[in-house]
């Protein structure tokens, strides 16, 4: 019997708004403490130093007010959901890299780039979490609430990049972290549909995935469990399956509980 189709997860606009405010503030505070030496360090992302990374983060913040200010998408434009965004995002890599390099050259002060983006975001926070507003997107059209959810994912992922590159603590806002974990878990379930493996990322998400016998009661025979930050790193290709198993940041029990062929989720 094929697995039952999962009902799309819904996100509470108030919680998404709170997560956005909290994560933006955490990034802003961290960026203002960076030294020139830290800004010149490799970011861990190909070809980018930390200055490039911070300018890219500013771009993720600024994207919300920028798209809200653009004309709405055509009525015939296909609507993009969160799973499609997650598994298709790698297709935008070259465009993102080019835009980031241009912005990095234009912004001598990375901190000022973040400040400017935050200033543009603040007046549109309520609009940013409206599920009834459609924004133009590279993949067609996207609900404002969903697009803001994707910004939370970007901000959490890149906050971790920033922390690892500089040694500066960038604590994730709880609502932002929860949203990022859940979106990436749902995207895995969409990418590898099935019910033979249960993936647990406490305290935020549990999903079933991978084709095979579906578990219905008792302890599942195939279980993967990890913490939120390790999951985000695995799902975005920042770390590898074997590396996290060896470090005991990940447990996988059962003959089907090997997700390496399905990772990363987000390009």
């Amino acid at each position: 019997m094929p697995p039952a189709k999962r009902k799309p997860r819904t996100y509470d606009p108030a919680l998404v708004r709170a997560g956005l405010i909290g994560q933006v503030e955490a990034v802003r505070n961290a960026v203002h403490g960076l030294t020139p030496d830290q800004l010149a360090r490799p970011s861990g992302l190909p070809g980018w130093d930390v200055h490039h990374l911070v300018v890219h983060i500013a771009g993720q913040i600024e994207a919300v007010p920028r798209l809200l200010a653009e004309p709405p998408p055509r009525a015939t434009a296909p609507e993009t959901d969160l799973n499609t965004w997650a598994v298709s995002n790698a297709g935008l890599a070259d465009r993102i890299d080019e835009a980031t390099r241009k912005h990095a050259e234009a912004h001598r002060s990375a901190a000022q780039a973040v400040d400017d983006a935050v200033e543009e975001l603040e007046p549109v926070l309520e609009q940013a979490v409206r599920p009834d507003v459609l924004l133009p997107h590279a993949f067609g059209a996207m609900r404002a609430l969903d697009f803001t959810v994707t910004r939370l994912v970007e901000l959490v992922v890149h906050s971790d990049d920033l922390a690892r590159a500089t040694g500066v603590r960038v604590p994730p806002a709880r609502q932002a972290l929860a949203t990022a974990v859940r979106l990436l878990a749902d995207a895995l379930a969409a990418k590898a549909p099935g019910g033979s493996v249960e993936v647990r990322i406490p305290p935020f998400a549990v999903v079933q995935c991978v084709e095979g016998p579906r578990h219905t009661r008792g302890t599942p025979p195939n279980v993967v469990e990890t913490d939120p930050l390790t999951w985000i790193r695995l799902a975005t290709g920042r770390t590898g399956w074997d590396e996290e198993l060896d470090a005991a940041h990940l447990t996988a029990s059962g003959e089907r509980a090997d997700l390496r062929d399905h990772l990363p989720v987000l390009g």
Side-chain angles (χ1 to χ4, degrees), residues 7-262:
K7 184 179 180 181
R9 190 186 301 271
T10 59
Y11 291 89
D12 184 324
L15 296 181
V16 172
R17 183 180 182 276
L20 181 63
I21 292 171
Q23 198 62 38
V24 165
E25 191 62 25
V27 169
R28 191 179 194 180
N29 289 339
V31 166
H32 274 274
L34 296 178
T35 65
D37 172 70
Q38 288 171 318
L39 286 164
R41 292 179 189 177
S43 69
L45 302 176
W48 290 5
D49 59 18
V50 172
H51 177 83
H52 285 87
L53 173 60
V54 174
V55 170
H56 177 68
I57 291 171
Q60 305 315 299
I61 300 169
E62 179 271 338
V64 176
R66 175 171 53 80
L67 290 189
L68 281 167
E70 290 187 11
R74 300 188 308 273
T76 56
E79 189 173 323
T80 298
D81 63 17
L82 290 170
N83 288 338
T84 301
W85 172 82
V87 300
S88 304
N89 200 50
L92 300 177
D94 289 344
R95 186 188 305 185
I96 291 170
D97 181 68
E98 181 181 358
T100 297
R101 292 179 185 279
K102 287 181 179 178
H103 292 160
E105 291 176 3
H107 291 88
R108 292 188 177 275
S109 169
Q112 187 62 53
V114 172
D115 285 345
D116 291 346
V118 173
E119 186 176 346
E120 292 182 33
L121 175 66
E122 287 174 343
V124 300
L125 281 169
E126 297 302 327
Q127 279 185 284
V129 294
R130 285 182 56 177
D132 60 333
V133 171
L134 285 177
L135 304 181
H137 191 273
F139 302 140
M142 203 165 195
R143 296 182 183 276
L145 175 60
D146 285 353
F147 184 71
T148 299
V149 166
T150 70
R151 297 312 89 188
L152 288 187
V153 176
E154 294 277 2
L155 288 171
V156 169
V157 170
H158 291 310
S159 292
D160 183 47
D161 291 334
L162 181 62
R164 288 186 293 127
T166 64
V168 173
R169 186 167 178 268
V170 191
R174 180 177 175 82
Q175 289 301 334
L177 181 62
T179 297
V181 166
R182 289 165 182 158
L183 185 152
L184 293 170
D186 289 347
L188 171 66
K191 182 180 181 181
S196 68
V197 180
E198 185 164 285
V199 180
R200 302 170 177 171
I201 310 112
F204 299 128
V206 177
V207 297
Q208 292 189 346
C209 60
V210 182
E211 289 184 354
R214 184 173 181 81
H215 170 73
T216 56
R217 354 177 139 163
T219 302
N222 301 286
V223 177
V224 173
E225 184 165 336
T226 189
D227 63 274
L229 196 54
T230 299
W231 167 241
I232 285 170
R233 292 173 181 174
L234 283 166
T236 59
R238 265 57 176 182
T239 189
W241 183 263
D242 291 335
E243 178 183 348
E244 298 304 336
L245 273 177
D246 291 344
H249 296 155
L250 166 71
T251 60
S253 60
E255 61 180 16
R256 295 177 181 272
D258 185 336
L259 300 180
R260 75 189 75 207
D261 290 341
H262 307 296

